[in-house]
Amino acid sequence: PGYERFYNNSIRSLLNLPKTWHTYESELKVQDKVMARFVISSVEDPLAQGFFNSGVTLTLFEPKDSKQVEFIGESLRQNTLKEMSASMGGSTNWQHYGPDMSICSLRYAAKMPEIKFGSRTAKNEEMVFIQDIALERRRGLVFLMKFETPKSLFSKEMEETFRQIKTGGYFVVDQDLEDESKHENGFVFLQL
């Protein structure tokens, strides 16, 4: 109870997402070169409302060309830097964990404009974002975990919810599911 399973059979994960939140999974192939898999979990129902204000988006990018890992990760970092209006900690640079893993943790506030989603409108608010981008070069993966909530709602309770999601989430990637003797596991473990 309280755990959501990421549906891809080559990725075993336990994500400590609140049971009361609305959670959806989807995938998208970008120009036949990059597969992106998403999990969205939020306070509001994004399908009913057309968007959400408070929640987390988890995205795993699997490019066919391993050289694209650096490009995707750096593009995500640069786009985030353009969005920031105030830093709230974290690191704007890559932190390296051995030769194959780099993580960039960004904590920031951003003034978001009013945005229309069909007939629905998201108000212009100052939002708090907590974002980690992880590059796993050996397997060619880019993992993005991004929390967002209006700054006016970012209480100790919401901060603790985000902390539990982050420290309760890990990803195990199996190299070969068919032959157990060839299993080489890669881990992405993110902590607040």
Side-chain angles (χ1 to χ4, degrees):
Y3 287 102
E4 296 286 345
R5 186 172 175 79
F6 199 98
Y7 69 96
N8 183 304
N9 65 1
S10 68
I11 300 169
R12 294 178 287 117
S13 66
L14 291 175
L15 302 176
N16 190 10
L17 301 173
K19 285 196 299 188
T20 56
W21 285 20
H22 303 271
T23 301
Y24 297 97
E25 299 171 353
S26 63
E27 65 180 24
L28 174 68
K29 190 176 276 191
V30 183
Q31 297 178 349
D32 198 39
K33 292 182 181 176
V34 180
M35 176 61 77
R37 293 183 170 87
F38 307 90
V39 175
I40 297 171
S41 189
S42 60
V43 173
E44 303 87 2
D45 185 347
L47 289 188
Q49 184 170 286
F51 60 92
F52 67 89
N53 279 329
S54 294
V56 57
T57 306
L58 307 163
T59 309
L60 183 70
F61 298 94
E62 296 178 273
K64 286 186 178 175
D65 180 355
S66 61
K67 293 176 185 172
Q68 289 184 303
V69 169
E70 302 284 343
F71 176 77
I72 292 169
E74 185 58 21
S75 295
L76 291 168
R77 188 181 80 89
Q78 290 296 329
N79 288 339
T80 301
L81 293 176
K82 290 175 189 171
E83 189 177 82
M84 292 173 69
S85 61
S87 175
M88 298 175 67
S91 171
T92 56
N93 296 313
W94 294 105
Q95 303 298 312
H96 303 289
Y97 299 87
D100 297 322
M101 175 76 73
S102 296
I103 299 176
C104 181
S105 297
L106 298 152
R107 315 283 185 263
Y108 63 100
K111 292 183 177 134
M112 303 306 291
E114 186 174 275
I115 303 172
K116 288 198 177 284
F117 298 93
S119 61
R120 316 261 185 197
T121 303
K123 296 186 296 183
N124 58 332
E125 292 192 71
E126 185 164 19
M127 302 289 285
V128 169
F129 294 95
I130 301 173
Q131 175 178 296
D132 282 350
I133 308 166
L135 307 182
E136 210 285 357
R137 292 174 189 83
R138 186 162 172 231
R139 300 262 177 335
L141 303 176
V142 180
F143 176 65
L144 174 70
M145 180 184 287
K146 186 172 186 176
F147 302 104
E148 59 187 271
T149 192
K151 195 169 186 180
S152 59
L153 299 179
F154 193 60
S155 62
K156 280 287 180 196
E157 183 181 337
M158 184 62 77
E159 188 173 4
E160 185 56 31
T161 297
F162 286 162
R163 189 182 306 278
Q164 287 170 7
I165 293 169
K166 287 199 64 174
T167 57
Y170 67 90
F171 293 76
V172 182
V173 182
D174 287 329
Q175 180 71 10
D176 190 333
L177 289 174
E178 300 301 319
D179 184 349
E180 288 189 14
S181 67
K182 293 182 181 175
H183 277 195
E184 295 180 44
N185 295 326
F187 294 90
V188 175
F189 179 61
L190 305 177
Q191 291 179 297
L192 189 63

